[in-house]
Amino acid sequence: MRNKVYLVLLFSLTLVGLLFITKSTFKSNVRYTTFKPSGVKHEFTRVDLEQKQVVGTVSYKNKTYMTVVVDVTSNTFQVEGSVDELGDLSMSQDSYINLFKQQAKYFIEKNIDNPKKYYEELEHQSF
């Protein structure tokens, strides 16, 4: 009888030990990221389908820090201002320029003259 008690205890301790080792060895890889708006906005303030030009701005707290004019026909752009003052709140200046260039090309190719309205319609279609 005593041997059975020892065997049950040994088995129980072994099982608990295995569970502890397994739990500590195989930690979950699930991670969570919380996205919080920084307040920095990028907007397309003008799309001229005839001249194939798009104007994009980067602003924060109602102050425009950078304006980018993209000419899709000549594949050129002009930049006025900088996002350097915004520091870690914003993407890099090159990232914004690339974003505006890609979106400008898309708007012109798809004949989208009102990006805000276009995105609102897309949002409503997704529901």
Side-chain angles (χ1 to χ4, degrees):
M1 183 71 170
R2 202 174 214 189
N3 286 341
K4 285 186 179 182
V5 171
Y6 287 131
L7 275 170
V8 169
L9 283 174
L10 181 64
F11 180 74
S12 299
L13 286 173
T14 304
L15 187 62
V16 169
L18 283 173
L19 287 172
F20 179 73
I21 291 170
T22 305
K23 187 172 183 172
S24 63
T25 305
F26 298 107
K27 289 187 177 179
S28 173
N29 288 332
V30 175
R31 302 285 189 257
Y32 298 95
T33 301
T34 303
F35 291 96
K36 181 180 174 185
S38 66
V40 177
K41 296 179 184 177
H42 67 273
E43 297 178 285
F44 299 94
T45 56
R46 191 181 88 222
V47 177
D48 185 335
L49 295 175
E50 285 184 29
Q51 293 186 16
K52 297 186 180 185
Q53 291 184 341
V54 176
V55 178
T57 61
V58 179
S59 60
Y60 179 66
K61 293 188 177 180
N62 296 320
K63 178 181 176 187
T64 301
Y65 285 84
M66 184 171 77
T67 302
V68 179
V69 179
V70 180
D71 187 320
V72 175
T73 304
S74 64
N75 195 26
T76 59
F77 62 92
Q78 296 175 352
V79 179
E80 183 179 311
S82 171
V83 293
D84 291 343
E85 272 184 70
L86 296 173
D88 291 338
L89 285 176
S90 72
M91 299 187 303
S92 70
Q93 185 158 319
D94 289 338
S95 295
Y96 280 116
I97 291 169
N98 287 332
L99 170 82
F100 290 136
K101 286 171 56 177
Q102 290 171 358
Q103 288 297 110
K105 185 178 177 187
Y106 181 80
F107 295 149
I108 299 303
E109 286 175 355
K110 302 293 184 186
N111 289 315
I112 299 167
D113 62 352
N114 187 341
K116 187 175 182 178
K117 181 180 174 187
Y118 172 74
Y119 287 126
E120 286 172 356
E121 288 174 0
L122 273 182
E123 189 175 312
H124 291 305
Q125 289 175 5
S126 66
F127 292 110

